């Protein structure tokens, strides 16, 4: 009887598996961010399965025009499609987020998939454009009735604190392992907002964030959203 109760309890803690397709470029595939998301899910008794269609320097329009995305959607059903391109702070980038995002929304509707935007961040050189990056991604998600995964918002707030592990890699644009962890945890929190991030044990995530104070700050910034 105790064994049966334990099994029932375990399954009550396990949330339905989610299949997620990431469509983007190197800001997504750096440090295999989708794999980090899967790992976070596993640590919380949630089965997350990811697939990636990500190529260097690709924008949303490149994926639409290549045809590979459409072929993939015909073969497999996904619960979510999370799209990402460059920072998109300028007028052209904003237009691409809106118009090409609308085409992605049509595809998602066709295949009964939820659309989400993975909001990224600007390079250190163009850090002054950060507010526009946030504004344009937020608007695009609203206009296209899509989910928003605001990694950029959390990235910006984290950087208001000094002497913490850098979210940027050596090129001052791509994410460090800590930056990819922040992005993955942002996505996880948006998908499962009732999960208590404060209970995440630092020792299980040292592969990506080596400094405990920095880890705790990432959790704090994301958890209060």
């Amino acid at each position: 009887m105790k064994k049966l109760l334990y099994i029932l309890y375990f399954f009550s803690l396990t949330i339905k598996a989610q299949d997620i397709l990431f469509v983007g470029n190197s800001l997504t595939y750096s440090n295999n961010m989708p794999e980090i998301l899967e790992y976070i899910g596993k640590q919380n008794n949630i089965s997350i399965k990811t697939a990636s269609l990500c190529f260097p320097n690709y924008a949303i329009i490149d994926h639409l025009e290549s045809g590979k995305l459409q072929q993939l959607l015909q073969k497999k059903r996904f619960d979510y499609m999370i799209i990402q391109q460059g920072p998109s702070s300028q007028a052209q980038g904003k237009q691409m987020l809106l118009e090409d995002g609308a085409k992605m929304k049509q595809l998602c509707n066709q295949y009964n998939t939820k659309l989400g935007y993975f909001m990224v961040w600007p390079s250190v050189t163009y850090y002054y454009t950060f507010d526009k990056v946030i504004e344009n991604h937020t608007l695009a998600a609203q206009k296209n009735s899509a989910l928003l995964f605001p990694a950029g918002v959390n990235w910006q707030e984290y950087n208001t604190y000094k002497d913490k592990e850098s979210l940027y890699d050596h090129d001052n644009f791509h994410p460090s392992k800590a930056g990819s962890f922040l992005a993955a945890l942002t996505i996880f929190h948006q998908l499962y907002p009732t999960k208590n991030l404060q209970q995440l044990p630092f020792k299980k995530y040292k592969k990506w964030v080596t400094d405990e104070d920095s880890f705790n700050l990432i959790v704090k910034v994301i958890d209060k959203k």
Side-chain angles (χ1 to χ4, degrees):
M1 183 64 179
K2 287 184 177 180
K3 184 177 181 180
L4 176 60
L5 289 173
Y6 174 80
I7 293 173
L8 291 174
Y9 175 70
F10 174 79
F11 279 104
S12 72
L13 294 178
T14 304
I15 299 175
K16 175 184 174 293
Q18 300 288 355
D19 285 297
I20 301 173
L21 174 61
F22 284 93
V23 179
N25 56 39
S26 55
L27 295 181
T28 290
Y29 72 66
S30 290
N31 308 305
N32 202 344
M33 186 273 286
E35 186 179 81
I36 302 175
L37 176 61
E38 290 184 1
Y39 179 86
I40 296 171
K42 184 178 180 181
Q43 296 302 310
N44 287 273
N45 297 318
I46 299 172
S47 176
I48 299 174
K49 300 176 182 178
T50 66
S52 295
L53 195 64
C54 299
F55 304 102
N57 302 314
Y58 260 48
I60 298 171
I61 187 62
D62 298 311
H63 287 288
L64 287 166
E65 292 181 346
S66 75
K68 293 181 180 179
L69 172 61
Q70 292 85 341
Q71 293 173 5
L72 181 57
L73 290 173
Q74 289 172 1
K75 294 178 181 178
K76 179 175 174 57
R77 182 190 174 279
F78 295 93
D79 298 297
Y80 297 92
M81 181 166 71
I82 300 177
I83 60 175
Q84 169 267 315
Q85 63 178 22
S88 307
S89 63
Q90 304 301 314
Q92 183 181 11
K94 176 182 178 180
Q95 182 179 4
M96 294 167 72
L97 286 175
L98 287 165
E99 296 182 1
D100 299 332
K103 295 175 183 176
M104 286 292 197
K105 177 65 174 178
Q106 291 175 356
L107 270 179
C108 285
N109 290 343
Q110 182 179 346
Y111 292 100
N112 194 28
T113 300
K114 297 182 181 69
L115 176 66
Y117 282 85
F118 169 19
M119 179 201 293
V120 292
W121 48 87
S123 66
V124 172
T125 302
Y126 294 100
Y127 204 85
Y128 64 91
T129 68
F130 217 137
D131 288 344
K132 277 295 182 181
V133 174
I134 294 173
E135 178 184 316
N136 292 344
H137 278 82
T138 302
L139 177 63
Q142 291 173 346
K143 290 290 185 180
N144 290 318
S145 301
L147 298 170
L148 181 64
F149 299 97
V153 173
N154 295 327
W155 188 291
Q156 186 184 51
E157 181 172 348
Y158 175 93
N159 281 337
T160 62
Y161 295 82
K162 306 299 182 183
D163 302 320
K164 294 294 183 287
E165 195 164 336
S166 178
L167 300 178
Y168 286 102
D169 205 353
H170 299 301
D171 67 354
N172 287 326
F173 180 41
H174 285 87
S176 64
K177 290 183 179 180
S180 293
F181 174 77
L182 178 144
L185 191 61
T186 297
I187 294 170
F188 178 82
H189 184 56
Q190 292 296 107
L191 292 174
Y192 307 101
T194 61
K195 285 292 181 178
N196 184 2
L197 301 188
Q198 299 296 331
Q199 294 180 350
L200 296 183
F202 164 65
K203 63 181 180 180
K204 291 189 176 182
Y205 299 93
K206 290 180 68 174
K207 178 180 179 181
W208 298 288
V209 187
T210 60
D211 175 64
E212 188 168 5
D213 288 341
S214 298
F215 174 83
N216 290 334
L217 178 58
I218 290 173
V219 171
K220 175 185 174 182
V221 166
I222 294 173
D223 193 43
K224 71 180 186 179
K225 293 294 188 297

